[in-house]
Amino acid sequence: MRSLVFLLLLGVAFTSNAQTEKVLEPAVLECHYELSALRDTLSRSNIGRDLMILRVGKSISQFFSYHAYTSDSLLATSGGAEKFGNSFIDALTKGDKSTLPGVKTTSDYIYKNYPKGRISLYCTDVALNYYRIVEDYTPQAWEVKDSTREVLGYKCQMATCNYRGRSYVAWFASDIPVSDGPWKLAGLPGLILEAYDVQHHYHYTAVKLLQAGLRPVALYNTDRKYEKTDRITYLRLMSDYLFGRRNSLEDGSAALGLDIKVAASPTSKGKVKQYDFMERDYR
């Protein structure tokens, strides 16, 4: 039932004919990362997987999920919502959740040094509301270690830091003189090719590096109306959905002018999730 309601919301919410785009600057490097995100600390086999893209320009970089981008592109085309829905139902019918279209782990688009000296996040909550968050761009306070390892054929050096409630380990390649990395991680004398928190709830591993034939660093979905908010407020809102204090389907239907009520199932009502966001300083 929830899946069918979700498809109804998609069909109403996505009505544009093309995904709008604003080019910011040419890209000079693109790194693809495999992301594994633990969904439940009580079940180590419950892992969300995604393919993330870091696209780096001369002064600005963008980071986003390949699956979120392709879903946005599909849903913005004529008949895209119907194609999306058919693929969704087909995957459910076959019982193969790995083929479900849509967002795998995150719908966030992160821009470092845009505007200058800031980080911009373009986010979509689970009720299909859009938000823009701008915060100061302050690289992590890394401590470089002596340990080395090879990642994607490059010799990498270890670095550690504490950042917004988690302790991280990063492996950066000095041979790639780009002070950037996955997600919001940056500030080392070389590209971060692998990074994870010490609890291994979130783990990024580089799988491909491209330096030619690149698409530009760009803003996507520029026709959407983004509500400005701050990071802590947004994380608290998402926490309410995560822990069942708000109902995403009812909120989404209300935003679209619909009156859809979804009763909580006896097995899920009040259920506490055993995982949290990468940033845990909102609590």
Side-chain angles (χ1 to χ4, degrees):
M1 175 59 183
R2 287 176 179 265
S3 298
L4 293 177
V5 173
F6 177 73
L7 293 177
L8 172 61
L9 296 182
L10 284 176
V12 175
F14 294 93
T15 57
S16 58
N17 293 321
Q19 185 178 30
T20 55
E21 178 178 315
K22 177 184 177 181
V23 173
L24 299 178
E25 63 182 29
V28 297
L29 178 146
E30 185 171 297
C31 188
H32 296 189
Y33 298 87
E34 285 186 351
L35 166 63
S36 64
L38 189 64
R39 295 299 196 188
D40 189 336
T41 57
L42 300 181
S43 176
R44 284 282 170 175
S45 63
N46 189 356
I47 297 175
R49 301 189 184 278
D50 212 335
L51 176 63
M52 311 299 296
I53 296 176
L54 172 67
R55 190 171 292 154
V56 181
K58 290 186 176 181
S59 61
I60 303 170
S61 70
Q62 64 179 134
F63 186 73
F64 58 96
S65 161
Y66 168 80
H67 297 288
Y69 170 77
T70 54
S71 293
D72 283 345
S73 299
L74 173 61
L75 288 165
T77 62
S78 178
E82 182 180 357
K83 294 176 183 177
F84 186 100
N86 289 336
S87 297
F88 196 99
I89 293 173
D90 185 61
L92 292 178
T93 301
K94 294 179 179 178
D96 185 0
K97 292 185 178 181
S98 66
T99 63
L100 283 171
V103 175
K104 302 299 182 183
T105 63
T106 180
S107 60
D108 295 355
Y109 291 82
I110 301 174
Y111 295 83
K112 299 191 188 88
N113 204 37
Y114 180 79
K116 187 175 181 180
R118 313 296 296 277
I119 291 181
S120 293
L121 289 86
Y122 293 83
C123 314
T124 307
D125 71 13
V126 292
L128 302 178
N129 298 307
Y130 307 123
Y131 299 90
R132 180 173 182 251
I133 301 167
V134 178
E135 58 182 278
D136 291 337
Y137 179 26
T138 305
Q140 293 74 31
W142 294 99
E143 183 177 346
V144 178
K145 306 292 185 178
D146 293 330
S147 300
T148 61
R149 66 188 297 181
E150 188 175 288
V151 182
L152 202 62
Y154 289 90
K155 181 180 179 180
C156 294
Q157 191 168 353
M158 181 182 180
T160 61
C161 76
N162 296 313
Y163 185 63
R164 295 178 176 174
R166 291 187 186 271
S167 298
Y168 290 94
V169 175
W171 298 90
F172 67 96
S174 299
D175 290 342
I176 309 174
V178 174
S179 185
D180 212 328
W183 187 54
K184 298 180 181 180
L185 304 179
L188 285 165
L191 181 65
I192 298 172
L193 293 182
E194 186 173 3
Y196 47 87
D197 68 294
V198 296
Q199 295 176 300
H200 290 278
H201 291 177
Y202 296 89
H203 196 140
Y204 297 95
T205 306
V207 294
K208 183 186 292 186
L209 192 66
L210 304 172
Q211 300 184 64
L214 307 177
R215 297 196 62 180
V217 176
L219 293 174
Y220 302 127
N221 309 307
T222 56
D223 59 336
R224 289 180 179 173
K225 294 182 179 180
Y226 291 92
E227 178 182 340
K228 293 182 180 179
T229 189
D230 62 89
R231 184 178 63 87
I232 297 298
T233 298
Y234 179 74
L235 289 175
R236 286 174 177 168
L237 169 66
M238 294 298 284
S239 176
D240 285 345
Y241 289 127
L242 176 69
F243 292 101
R245 292 186 290 268
R246 294 184 66 160
N247 187 297
S248 60
L249 293 177
E250 290 185 359
D251 283 1
S253 66
L256 295 170
L258 304 175
D259 185 18
I260 297 176
K261 300 298 181 183
V262 181
S265 69
T267 56
S268 64
K269 187 176 181 180
K271 180 181 179 181
V272 177
K273 305 291 185 182
Q274 300 299 321
Y275 66 97
D276 207 345
F277 310 119
M278 292 187 72
E279 296 165 302
R280 300 193 294 191
D281 58 342
Y282 67 93
R283 294 178 295 179

